[in-house]
């Protein structure tokens, strides 16, 4: 029987984003730093996913042995260090989080059957790497507060309450939404990054978070005058908004994760948005008004 196990590890390390072949202005543009003397650091959290068949002892791998490999190859070397100075891979290329995840994979894979590396530089930013040459993933997390009401305008109050429960009450209710936007792309061999991270954060903040924050979605966002603002539909809306701006940054939107509460969240992969647009999604919703109420309602349960 095949199984996946995970090992969590931590290390604290500093780094410098600076390429000597670039001018100060070019370094500032690439890394949003003012000068080459700036050294930054993180308390990194590392998750290593291992896949394999269960042995006769009921294990994929002995966790004690796994721990020792991770300590020897990664955490003992990096903890309390300046990464550029202790790992040769980063003497000419900055240790951006996605690039650091890739190099950790390379150092561990001769010893372990790894299937995924997840590296958090802080709770709002993390990278993933799965061994696919220079392809990696970066996730940025953000939050916004908004109110909504779940109801189909073609149904009565009683019918909406039957479908949506308390969420269908006439005056709506609110959530503190937690948003995670994951992009994928090729790591630039010179900069070590997938995209300009400051630009990515700006796109997510200005296009997705700020316009939705402290709104009544049904009334303040025209799209949700036609589309019921379930978590799933909000995630799709954000996906449609971010698809092209992220492409313009040189990457691809991979996934949207939206949490309404700690107990309820949805994940939507950009591939499932297909080539349709936000407008076509809205039209598809309006078209459902032409069929029976029971079927219409079932689309949004």
């Amino acid at each position: 029987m095949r199984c996946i196990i995970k090992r969590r590890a931590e290390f604290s390390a500093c780094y410098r984003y600076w390429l000597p072949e670039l001018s100060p202005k070019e370094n500032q543009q690439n890394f949003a730093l003012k000068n080459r003397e700036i050294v930054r650091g993180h308390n990194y959290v590392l998750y290593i996913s291992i896949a394999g068949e269960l042995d006769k002892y009921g294990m994929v791998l002995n966790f004690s042995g796994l721990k020792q490999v991770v300590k020897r190859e990664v955490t003992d070397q990096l903890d309390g260090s300046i990464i550029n100075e202790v790992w040769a891979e980063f003497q000419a290329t900055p240790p951006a989080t996605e690039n650091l995840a890739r190099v950790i994979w390379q150092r561990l894979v001769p010893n372990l059957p790894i299937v995924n590396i997840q590296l958090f530089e802080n709770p709002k930013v993390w990278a993933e790497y799965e061994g696919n040459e220079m392809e990696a993933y970066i996730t940025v997390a953000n939050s916004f507060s908004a109110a909504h009401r779940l109801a189909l305008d073609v149904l009565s109050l009683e019918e909406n309450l039957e479908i949506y429960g308390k969420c269908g009450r006439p005056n709506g209710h609110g959530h503190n939404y937690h948003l995670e936007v994951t992009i994928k792309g090729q790591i630039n061999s010179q900069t070590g990054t997938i995209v300009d991270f400051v630009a990515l954060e700006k796109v997510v903040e200005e296009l997705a978070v700020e316009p939705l924050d402290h709104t009544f979605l049904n009334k303040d966002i025209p799209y949700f005058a036609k589309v019921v603002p379930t978590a799933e539909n909000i995630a799709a809306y954000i996906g449609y908004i971010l698809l092209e701006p992220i492409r313009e940054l040189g990457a691809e939107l991979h996934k949207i994760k939206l949490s309404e509460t700690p107990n309820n969240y949805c994940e939507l992969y950009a591939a499932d948005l297909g080539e349709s647009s936000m407008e076509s999604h809205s039209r598809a919703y309006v078209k459902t008004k032409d069929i029976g109420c029971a079927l219409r309602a079932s689309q949004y349960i």
Side-chain angles (χ1 to χ4, degrees), residues 150 155-166 168-169 297 301:
L150 305 187
L155 301 182
S156 68
L157 174 60
E158 291 73 20
E159 289 172 316
N160 276 310
L161 291 175
E162 182 178 355
I163 296 167
Y164 296 111
K166 293 185 290 186
R169 289 175 176 173
I301 294 176

PDB file of all heavy atoms in Angstrom, residues 150 155-166 168-169 297 301:
ATOM      1  N   LEU A 150     -26.758  34.629   0.546  1.00  0.00           N
ATOM      2  CA  LEU A 150     -26.897  33.553  -0.421  1.00  0.00           C
ATOM      3  C   LEU A 150     -28.377  33.370  -0.730  1.00  0.00           C
ATOM      4  O   LEU A 150     -29.144  32.907   0.116  1.00  0.00           O
ATOM      5  CB  LEU A 150     -26.299  32.257   0.128  1.00  0.00           C
ATOM      6  CG  LEU A 150     -24.838  32.334   0.579  1.00  0.00           C
ATOM      7  CD1 LEU A 150     -24.321  30.956   0.948  1.00  0.00           C
ATOM      8  CD2 LEU A 150     -23.955  32.965  -0.494  1.00  0.00           C
ATOM      9  N   LEU A 155     -36.342  32.698  -6.434  1.00  0.00           N
ATOM     10  CA  LEU A 155     -36.973  31.863  -5.417  1.00  0.00           C
ATOM     11  C   LEU A 155     -37.546  32.717  -4.301  1.00  0.00           C
ATOM     12  O   LEU A 155     -37.120  33.846  -4.066  1.00  0.00           O
ATOM     13  CB  LEU A 155     -35.951  30.876  -4.835  1.00  0.00           C
ATOM     14  CG  LEU A 155     -35.285  29.908  -5.814  1.00  0.00           C
ATOM     15  CD1 LEU A 155     -34.341  28.983  -5.065  1.00  0.00           C
ATOM     16  CD2 LEU A 155     -36.316  29.103  -6.592  1.00  0.00           C
ATOM     17  N   SER A 156     -38.508  32.162  -3.590  1.00  0.00           N
ATOM     18  CA  SER A 156     -39.097  32.849  -2.449  1.00  0.00           C
ATOM     19  C   SER A 156     -38.138  32.795  -1.274  1.00  0.00           C
ATOM     20  O   SER A 156     -37.159  32.037  -1.265  1.00  0.00           O
ATOM     21  CB  SER A 156     -40.413  32.171  -2.058  1.00  0.00           C
ATOM     22  OG  SER A 156     -40.160  30.868  -1.538  1.00  0.00           O
ATOM     23  N   LEU A 157     -38.442  33.594  -0.249  1.00  0.00           N
ATOM     24  CA  LEU A 157     -37.626  33.580   0.959  1.00  0.00           C
ATOM     25  C   LEU A 157     -37.599  32.180   1.565  1.00  0.00           C
ATOM     26  O   LEU A 157     -36.544  31.687   1.975  1.00  0.00           O
ATOM     27  CB  LEU A 157     -38.175  34.591   1.969  1.00  0.00           C
ATOM     28  CG  LEU A 157     -37.508  34.591   3.353  1.00  0.00           C
ATOM     29  CD1 LEU A 157     -36.017  34.901   3.241  1.00  0.00           C
ATOM     30  CD2 LEU A 157     -38.204  35.578   4.286  1.00  0.00           C
ATOM     31  N   GLU A 158     -38.747  31.558   1.622  1.00  0.00           N
ATOM     32  CA  GLU A 158     -38.826  30.217   2.211  1.00  0.00           C
ATOM     33  C   GLU A 158     -37.971  29.221   1.438  1.00  0.00           C
ATOM     34  O   GLU A 158     -37.288  28.369   2.026  1.00  0.00           O
ATOM     35  CB  GLU A 158     -40.289  29.745   2.244  1.00  0.00           C
ATOM     36  CG  GLU A 158     -41.185  30.494   3.218  1.00  0.00           C
ATOM     37  CD  GLU A 158     -41.528  31.908   2.763  1.00  0.00           C
ATOM     38  OE1 GLU A 158     -41.408  32.183   1.536  1.00  0.00           O
ATOM     39  OE2 GLU A 158     -41.895  32.726   3.626  1.00  0.00           O
ATOM     40  N   GLU A 159     -38.017  29.310   0.104  1.00  0.00           N
ATOM     41  CA  GLU A 159     -37.224  28.389  -0.714  1.00  0.00           C
ATOM     42  C   GLU A 159     -35.725  28.635  -0.529  1.00  0.00           C
ATOM     43  O   GLU A 159     -34.929  27.697  -0.448  1.00  0.00           O
ATOM     44  CB  GLU A 159     -37.616  28.537  -2.187  1.00  0.00           C
ATOM     45  CG  GLU A 159     -38.998  27.988  -2.511  1.00  0.00           C
ATOM     46  CD  GLU A 159     -39.425  28.322  -3.930  1.00  0.00           C
ATOM     47  OE1 GLU A 159     -39.214  29.484  -4.362  1.00  0.00           O
ATOM     48  OE2 GLU A 159     -39.968  27.434  -4.597  1.00  0.00           O
ATOM     49  N   ASN A 160     -35.342  29.914  -0.457  1.00  0.00           N
ATOM     50  CA  ASN A 160     -33.917  30.226  -0.254  1.00  0.00           C
ATOM     51  C   ASN A 160     -33.446  29.752   1.111  1.00  0.00           C
ATOM     52  O   ASN A 160     -32.329  29.234   1.239  1.00  0.00           O
ATOM     53  CB  ASN A 160     -33.675  31.731  -0.407  1.00  0.00           C
ATOM     54  CG  ASN A 160     -33.492  32.136  -1.856  1.00  0.00           C
ATOM     55  OD1 ASN A 160     -32.698  31.538  -2.584  1.00  0.00           O
ATOM     56  ND2 ASN A 160     -34.236  33.145  -2.288  1.00  0.00           N
ATOM     57  N   LEU A 161     -34.272  29.909   2.135  1.00  0.00           N
ATOM     58  CA  LEU A 161     -33.889  29.438   3.466  1.00  0.00           C
ATOM     59  C   LEU A 161     -33.763  27.919   3.506  1.00  0.00           C
ATOM     60  O   LEU A 161     -32.914  27.370   4.212  1.00  0.00           O
ATOM     61  CB  LEU A 161     -34.900  29.923   4.508  1.00  0.00           C
ATOM     62  CG  LEU A 161     -34.909  31.427   4.794  1.00  0.00           C
ATOM     63  CD1 LEU A 161     -36.042  31.780   5.746  1.00  0.00           C
ATOM     64  CD2 LEU A 161     -33.578  31.878   5.359  1.00  0.00           C
ATOM     65  N   GLU A 162     -34.599  27.253   2.714  1.00  0.00           N
ATOM     66  CA  GLU A 162     -34.513  25.798   2.674  1.00  0.00           C
ATOM     67  C   GLU A 162     -33.198  25.351   2.034  1.00  0.00           C
ATOM     68  O   GLU A 162     -32.586  24.361   2.454  1.00  0.00           O
ATOM     69  CB  GLU A 162     -35.691  25.234   1.876  1.00  0.00           C
ATOM     70  CG  GLU A 162     -35.713  23.707   1.833  1.00  0.00           C
ATOM     71  CD  GLU A 162     -36.916  23.175   1.086  1.00  0.00           C
ATOM     72  OE1 GLU A 162     -37.784  23.977   0.679  1.00  0.00           O
ATOM     73  OE2 GLU A 162     -36.975  21.943   0.887  1.00  0.00           O
ATOM     74  N   ILE A 163     -32.746  26.089   1.037  1.00  0.00           N
ATOM     75  CA  ILE A 163     -31.511  25.726   0.332  1.00  0.00           C
ATOM     76  C   ILE A 163     -30.277  26.179   1.103  1.00  0.00           C
ATOM     77  O   ILE A 163     -29.346  25.409   1.346  1.00  0.00           O
ATOM     78  CB  ILE A 163     -31.494  26.359  -1.068  1.00  0.00           C
ATOM     79  CG1 ILE A 163     -32.626  25.789  -1.922  1.00  0.00           C
ATOM     80  CG2 ILE A 163     -30.134  26.138  -1.749  1.00  0.00           C
ATOM     81  CD1 ILE A 163     -32.868  26.569  -3.186  1.00  0.00           C
ATOM     82  N   TYR A 164     -30.260  27.452   1.513  1.00  0.00           N
ATOM     83  CA  TYR A 164     -29.048  28.059   2.060  1.00  0.00           C
ATOM     84  C   TYR A 164     -29.043  28.175   3.580  1.00  0.00           C
ATOM     85  O   TYR A 164     -28.052  28.616   4.160  1.00  0.00           O
ATOM     86  CB  TYR A 164     -28.853  29.456   1.447  1.00  0.00           C
ATOM     87  CG  TYR A 164     -28.625  29.442  -0.046  1.00  0.00           C
ATOM     88  CD1 TYR A 164     -29.584  29.948  -0.926  1.00  0.00           C
ATOM     89  CD2 TYR A 164     -27.458  28.904  -0.584  1.00  0.00           C
ATOM     90  CE1 TYR A 164     -29.371  29.945  -2.294  1.00  0.00           C
ATOM     91  CE2 TYR A 164     -27.245  28.892  -1.953  1.00  0.00           C
ATOM     92  CZ  TYR A 164     -28.201  29.414  -2.801  1.00  0.00           C
ATOM     93  OH  TYR A 164     -27.989  29.394  -4.157  1.00  0.00           O
ATOM     94  N   GLY A 165     -30.156  27.811   4.215  1.00  0.00           N
ATOM     95  CA  GLY A 165     -30.223  27.925   5.668  1.00  0.00           C
ATOM     96  C   GLY A 165     -30.115  29.365   6.128  1.00  0.00           C
ATOM     97  O   GLY A 165     -30.637  30.283   5.483  1.00  0.00           O
ATOM     98  N   LYS A 166     -29.401  29.574   7.239  1.00  0.00           N
ATOM     99  CA  LYS A 166     -29.277  30.930   7.799  1.00  0.00           C
ATOM    100  C   LYS A 166     -28.611  31.893   6.828  1.00  0.00           C
ATOM    101  O   LYS A 166     -28.822  33.106   6.915  1.00  0.00           O
ATOM    102  CB  LYS A 166     -28.476  30.877   9.096  1.00  0.00           C
ATOM    103  CG  LYS A 166     -29.188  30.146  10.232  1.00  0.00           C
ATOM    104  CD  LYS A 166     -28.410  30.226  11.535  1.00  0.00           C
ATOM    105  CE  LYS A 166     -27.147  29.408  11.494  1.00  0.00           C
ATOM    106  NZ  LYS A 166     -26.453  29.377  12.803  1.00  0.00           N
ATOM    107  N   GLY A 168     -29.351  32.438   3.928  1.00  0.00           N
ATOM    108  CA  GLY A 168     -30.335  33.041   3.047  1.00  0.00           C
ATOM    109  C   GLY A 168     -31.173  34.116   3.706  1.00  0.00           C
ATOM    110  O   GLY A 168     -32.086  34.657   3.075  1.00  0.00           O
ATOM    111  N   ARG A 169     -30.902  34.438   4.962  1.00  0.00           N
ATOM    112  CA  ARG A 169     -31.691  35.473   5.646  1.00  0.00           C
ATOM    113  C   ARG A 169     -31.559  36.812   4.913  1.00  0.00           C
ATOM    114  O   ARG A 169     -30.496  37.135   4.369  1.00  0.00           O
ATOM    115  CB  ARG A 169     -31.226  35.607   7.091  1.00  0.00           C
ATOM    116  CG  ARG A 169     -31.633  34.407   7.954  1.00  0.00           C
ATOM    117  CD  ARG A 169     -31.061  34.511   9.355  1.00  0.00           C
ATOM    118  NE  ARG A 169     -31.527  33.406  10.192  1.00  0.00           N
ATOM    119  CZ  ARG A 169     -31.073  33.170  11.424  1.00  0.00           C
ATOM    120  NH1 ARG A 169     -30.134  33.943  11.952  1.00  0.00           N
ATOM    121  NH2 ARG A 169     -31.551  32.134  12.108  1.00  0.00           N
ATOM    122  N   ALA A 297     -31.724  25.681  -8.220  1.00  0.00           N
ATOM    123  CA  ALA A 297     -31.200  25.751  -6.874  1.00  0.00           C
ATOM    124  C   ALA A 297     -30.081  24.767  -6.670  1.00  0.00           C
ATOM    125  O   ALA A 297     -29.096  25.056  -5.983  1.00  0.00           O
ATOM    126  CB  ALA A 297     -32.317  25.499  -5.863  1.00  0.00           C
ATOM    127  N   ILE A 301     -25.990  24.514  -4.294  1.00  0.00           N
ATOM    128  CA  ILE A 301     -26.006  23.905  -2.965  1.00  0.00           C
ATOM    129  C   ILE A 301     -24.580  23.513  -2.597  1.00  0.00           C
ATOM    130  O   ILE A 301     -23.860  22.954  -3.394  1.00  0.00           O
ATOM    131  CB  ILE A 301     -26.926  22.660  -2.962  1.00  0.00           C
ATOM    132  CG1 ILE A 301     -28.361  23.102  -3.196  1.00  0.00           C
ATOM    133  CG2 ILE A 301     -26.795  21.912  -1.649  1.00  0.00           C
ATOM    134  CD1 ILE A 301     -29.333  21.956  -3.302  1.00  0.00           C
TER     135      ILE A 301
END
